[in-house]
């Protein structure tokens, strides 16, 4: 093949560009590597996700698919070319309505929005959805993105004035908490200027290519990489022999080697790392590595693991990772007292996180010999500890810096590549970069646990639950990762937010040779929530009681005893159900098939079922399509414990009142799109009487900030928010004391508000905060610096009965879903979601709404389409082309309300929403499908094939 370069010339963002390029170079790589326009992202490199979207001669195109020579003499506009003279109306609209979360998809979304409004200045909602159909967002749930484009449309058409796009900041700093403050990181995301890990470069940087196993379970007989070392550009080759310290990574057990050692346990496990001057050279050298395997029997299911088909880990001969038991009362006595007993089996599937940013990082040695790792990471504190052991280095010689994270959802808690980066940097003494391809990410990262669930539940005639017995068996995959924690959490919460006297739960995790399972949003609770909420609807039908009424009769309330025998304080569960029923205008009735009779369906609060090509169909054809739909509604609820489960949780922070009356915050906060940076600025502004723009939050860097632990368990607002609040109160007290001494007044008389410090009612004692800081530093000789910590005293569980207090704060949520089922195809359209969630105290209501919407759409995916399929341990859909995700055309209309039941243990009062938000959606959708067509789906997802087959078995007549 000829390697001759080809001259291209084009106009990019209004500038003439001339370059000599390789004929095979893609436009996305040209823009990123040659022109350093990093706003054009690479989420899949296959034209499926839209993160690489640009305009070519005014037409929206996926730049990862287009050879750069095909745009010779063309005009290209990237995100950097939008709003060159200031933010565009579209960019401002995205910021205004909260259409930005992790930000990785945002540049591509804005390019698509620009193309939509360029083609039609007045698109309706259906046209906007179609126009965004080629762009994926995993965070927002699309609702805010649609809202942003509608707002931009209205401003462009002068139906709204441009000043409606300006940030709405309360003039009174005491009202900042509870306001919809604009995200502090939004500008960098809407302009494409924010650097993610894959965007970072360093001089003399090397690149890593991983050779992954194509075997599922096999001994590694030999590895010969001698010829690879002779290939152009190859600096070194790494295997497990290069690990200088303890070779083990994981969350609970360190059972996974950095690179496969002695045997491989799953398809895609990394075995060899090639380090070279360029990625192309590293990939080319892979052909010269010879690995000899001896195949072993494959354990491809929980049943095979329990049967002992083969041993996955020699120190777990029964393939049992862990188990948790919860026992309360006597279930046999409870069943004897029951009027109705229901038994049902459920199964949930393997689900991919599908964050748009794949795993990426960069490692190097600093001049003092400190090993620095920069990566998109959810838990830098834990990873630093692991790296210290792997590298056999003192922990203070290891530094981990969190880069901006383009979506995590739990999947970036696992340290599956940082060890490889660190070893390569140590061995080569040069900076080293590793970026996963989409296939790397899908075969190499953890998934949501598939779980088999068996229920036996007994109820009295009036619907009171007398006893419940649950068995859950989770497929943990090849390594433990977070299985121990998810199994425990499933056991603790698996029987639902119900007051039940007799409970017995057995939850187990098993090793198999499937892709490892790990942390994913809800951390093991979504699966049993789907099951218990489905069972509640089955019981509703058996007893002839409305499903919301049945839940209310059994609801936990103030002072209730949980399944672990913890006494609850204030409980908002019933309020969320009642608010949800009110919001959705729920029509009462038992859970039998009522869809055709209901008067609360097909109202104006729902989306229209998406019919491909509807804009081209005749009215008669559209009417025929619409006649095939059957409508139904379902309810689902959930509960969740905030923070680390059954163990002490903690966080720390420093706050300085800085020059100019500003504030600097240092804490180990992990922003993965949830908006925690904005929440913290609001807390600081409220406490110190300043505005969010006056607050600076330092980068999450183990060498610079105190420990605050990981992003997960919906703990950041609760744990870090309270630590920051306490630090603010500490520095505020010190600062006021100094100013009080200077003024010779009582410190208790001093207030800080609206960038001023003053004694109320005394105009003589009133200063701008900036002047007061100067007095404190220059006259008093004091740097106003405060420290704060917060501890949640969670208790471990009794090993036999599971008795204990695993959390001090619980949240509750309820949702109603409305669906339309196409009786010809079996396809399900989720048209409306009505949600009521307890969040404690809503620091930023718009951010909370975004979490509810994003979480619900993720659960819509799990309910009706997503399934990471494995056959004999080999994935069959390891790309976005085959792994089906919700897109903008799948989005329901959202209607949400917040229940604010402040946590009495928290000075801040806030709890959390990110993890609990998706819980009610899956059962609400599944119950709605039953309401529509009488098909009870017990094995997720509810695919068209399953629905049609079940309808056929029941003799469903579509005519």
């Amino acid at each position: 093949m000829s390697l001759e370069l080809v001259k291209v010339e084009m106009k990019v963002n209004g500038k003439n560009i001339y370059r000599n390029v390789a004929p095979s170079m893609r436009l996305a790589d040209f823009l990123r590597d040659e022109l350093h326009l990093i706003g054009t992202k690479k989420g899949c490199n296959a034209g499926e996700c839209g993160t690489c979207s640009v305009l070519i001669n005014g037409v929206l195109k996926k730049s990862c698919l287009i050879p750069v020579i095909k745009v010779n003499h063309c005009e290209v506009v990237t995100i950097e070319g939008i709003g060159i003279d200031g933010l565009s109306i579209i960019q401002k609209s995205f910021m205004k309505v909260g259409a930005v979360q992790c930000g990785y998809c945002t540049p591509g979304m804005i390019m698509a929005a620009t193309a939509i409004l360029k083609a039609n200045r007045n698109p309706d909602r259906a046209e906007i959805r179609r126009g965004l159909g080629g762009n994926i967002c995993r965070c927002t749930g699309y609702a805010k993105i649609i809202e942003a484009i509608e707002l931009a449309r209205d401003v462009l058409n002068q139906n709204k004035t441009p000043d409606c796009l300006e940030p709405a900041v309360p003039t009174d700093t005491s009202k900042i908490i509870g306001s919809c403050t604009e995200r502090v990181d939004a500008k960098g995301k809407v302009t494409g200027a924010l650097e993610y890990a894959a965007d970072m470069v360093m001089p003399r940087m090397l690149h890593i290519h991983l050779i992954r196993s194509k075997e599922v379970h096999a001994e590694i007989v030999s590895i010969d990489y001698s010829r690879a070392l002779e290939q152009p550009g190859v600096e070194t080759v790494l295997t497990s022999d290069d690990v200088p310290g303890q070779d083990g990574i994981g969350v609970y057990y360190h059972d996974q080697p950095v690179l496969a050692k002695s045997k491989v346990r799953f398809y895609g496990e990394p075995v060899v790392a090639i380090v070279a001057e360029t990625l192309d050279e590293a990939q080319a050298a892979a052909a010269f590595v010879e690995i000899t395997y001896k195949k072993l029997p494959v354990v491809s299911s929980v049943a095979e693991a329990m049967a002992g088909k083969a041993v996955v880990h020699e120190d777990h001969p029964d393939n049992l990772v862990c188990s948790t038991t919860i026992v309360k009362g006597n279930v046999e006595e409870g069943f004897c007292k029951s009027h109705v007993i229901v038994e049902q089996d459920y199964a949930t599937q393997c689900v991919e996180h599908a964050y748009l940013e794949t795993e990426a990082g960069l490692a190097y040695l600093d001049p003092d010999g400190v090993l620095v790792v920069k990566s998109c990471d959810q838990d830098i504190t834990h990873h630093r500890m692991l790296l210290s052991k792997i590298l056999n280095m003192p922990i203070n010689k290891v530094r981990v810096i969190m880069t901006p994270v383009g979506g995590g959802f739990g999947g970036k808690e696992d340290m599956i590549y940082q060890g490889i980066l660190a070893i390569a940097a140590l061995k080569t003494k040069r900076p080293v970069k590793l970026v996963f391809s989409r296939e790397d990410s899908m075969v190499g990262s953890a998934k949501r646990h598939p779980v088999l669930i068996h229920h036996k539940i007994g109820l009295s005639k009036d619907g009171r639950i007398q006893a419940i017995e649950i068995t859950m068996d989770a497929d943990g995959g090849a390594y433990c990762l977070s299985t121990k924690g998810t199994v425990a959490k499933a056991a603790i919460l698996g029987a639902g937010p119900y007051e039940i006297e007799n409970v017995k739960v057995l939850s187990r995790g098993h090793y198999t040779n499937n892709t490892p399972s790990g942390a994913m949003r809800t951390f093991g609770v979504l699966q049993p929530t789907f099951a218990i909420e489905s069972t509640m609807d089955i019981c509703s039908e058996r007893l002839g009681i409305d499903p919301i009424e049945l839940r209310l009769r059994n609801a936990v309330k103030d002072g209730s005893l949980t399944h672990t025998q913890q006494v609850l304080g204030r409980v908002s569960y019933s309020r969320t159900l009642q608010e949800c029923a009110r919001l959705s205008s729920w029509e009462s009735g038992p859970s039998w098939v009522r869809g055709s009779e209901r008067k609360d369906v097909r109202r104006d609060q729902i989306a229209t079922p998406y019919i491909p090509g509807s804009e081209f169909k005749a009215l008669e054809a559209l009417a025929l399509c619409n006649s095939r739909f059957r409508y139904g509604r379902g309810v689902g609820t959930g509960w969740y414990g905030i923070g680390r489960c059954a163990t002490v949780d903690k966080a720390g922070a420093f706050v300085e009142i800085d020059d100019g009356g500003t504030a600097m915050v240092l804490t180990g906060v992990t922003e993965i799109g949830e908006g925690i940076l904005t929440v913290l600025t609001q807390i600081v502004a409220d406490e110190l009487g300043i505005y969010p723009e006056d607050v600076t939050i330092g980068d999450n860097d183990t060498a610079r900030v105190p420990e605050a632990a990981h992003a997960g368990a919906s703990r950041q607002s609760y744990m870090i928010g309270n630590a920051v609040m306490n630090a603010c109160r500490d520095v505020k007290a010190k600062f006021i004391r100094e100013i009080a001494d200077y003024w010779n007044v009582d410190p208790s008389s001093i207030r800080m508000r609206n960038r001023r410090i003053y004694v109320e009612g005394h105009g003589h004692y009133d200063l701008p905060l900036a002047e007061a800081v100067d007095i404190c530093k220059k006259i008093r000789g004091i740097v106003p610096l405060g420290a704060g910590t917060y501890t949640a005293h969670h208790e471990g569980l009794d090993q036999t009965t599971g008795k204990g207090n695993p959390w001090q704060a619980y949240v509750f949520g309820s949702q109603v879903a409305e669906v339309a089922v196409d009786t010809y195809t079996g396809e399900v359209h989720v048209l409306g979601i009505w949600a009521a969630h307890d969040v404690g105290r809503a620091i930023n209501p718009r951010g909370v709404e975004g979490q509810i919407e994003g979480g619900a759409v993720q659960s819509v995916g799990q309910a009706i389409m997503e399934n990471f399929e494995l056959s004999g341990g080999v994935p069959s859909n390891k790309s976005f082309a085959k792994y089906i995700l919700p897109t903008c055309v799948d989005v329901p209309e959202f209607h949400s309300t917040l229940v604010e039941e402040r946590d009495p243990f928290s000075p801040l009062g806030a709890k959390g929403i990110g993890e609990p938000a998706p819980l009610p959606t899956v059962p609400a959708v599944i119950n709605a499908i039953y309401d529509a067509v009488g098909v009870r789906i017990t094995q997720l997802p509810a695919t068209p094939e399953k629905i049609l087959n079940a309808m056929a078995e029941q003799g469903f007549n579509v005519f």
Side-chain angles (χ1 to χ4, degrees), residues 443-504:
V443 302
S445 67
K447 306 290 176 275
R448 189 187 295 283
H449 290 75
V451 184
L452 302 175
I453 303 171
H454 179 75
H455 272 190
K456 182 179 180 182
I457 187 170
L459 300 92
S460 62
K461 277 186 179 181
D462 64 356
R464 308 285 177 177
I465 302 173
Q466 302 301 305
I468 188 167
E469 185 172 4
I470 303 174
T471 303
M472 292 179 276
D473 287 289
D475 185 341
Y479 295 104
C480 175
L481 299 181
S482 291
T483 293
K484 185 176 180 182
T486 58
V487 161
K489 211 163 193 176
I492 296 166
L493 299 173
Y498 303 113
E499 201 169 50
I500 309 174
E501 187 176 340
N502 304 294
V503 178
K504 184 176 181 181

Side-chain angles (χ1 to χ4, degrees), residues 571-625:
V571 174
S572 60
Y573 174 60
S574 293
R575 282 179 62 197
T576 69
L577 260 173
Q578 290 160 349
E579 281 294 299
C580 201
R582 178 194 61 79
L583 194 66
S584 64
S585 301
W586 177 266
E587 181 183 83
S588 295
S591 292
W592 44 62
V593 186
R594 300 195 295 127
S596 59
E597 309 165 3
R598 301 187 76 115
K599 296 180 178 63
D600 57 354
V601 296
R602 304 184 69 176
R603 295 187 175 185
D604 57 3
Q605 288 186 311
I606 63 171
T608 303
Y610 176 65
I611 301 171
S614 59
E615 65 272 30
F616 306 115
K617 294 183 185 295
L619 292 177
E620 295 82 0
L622 275 176
L624 180 61
C625 291

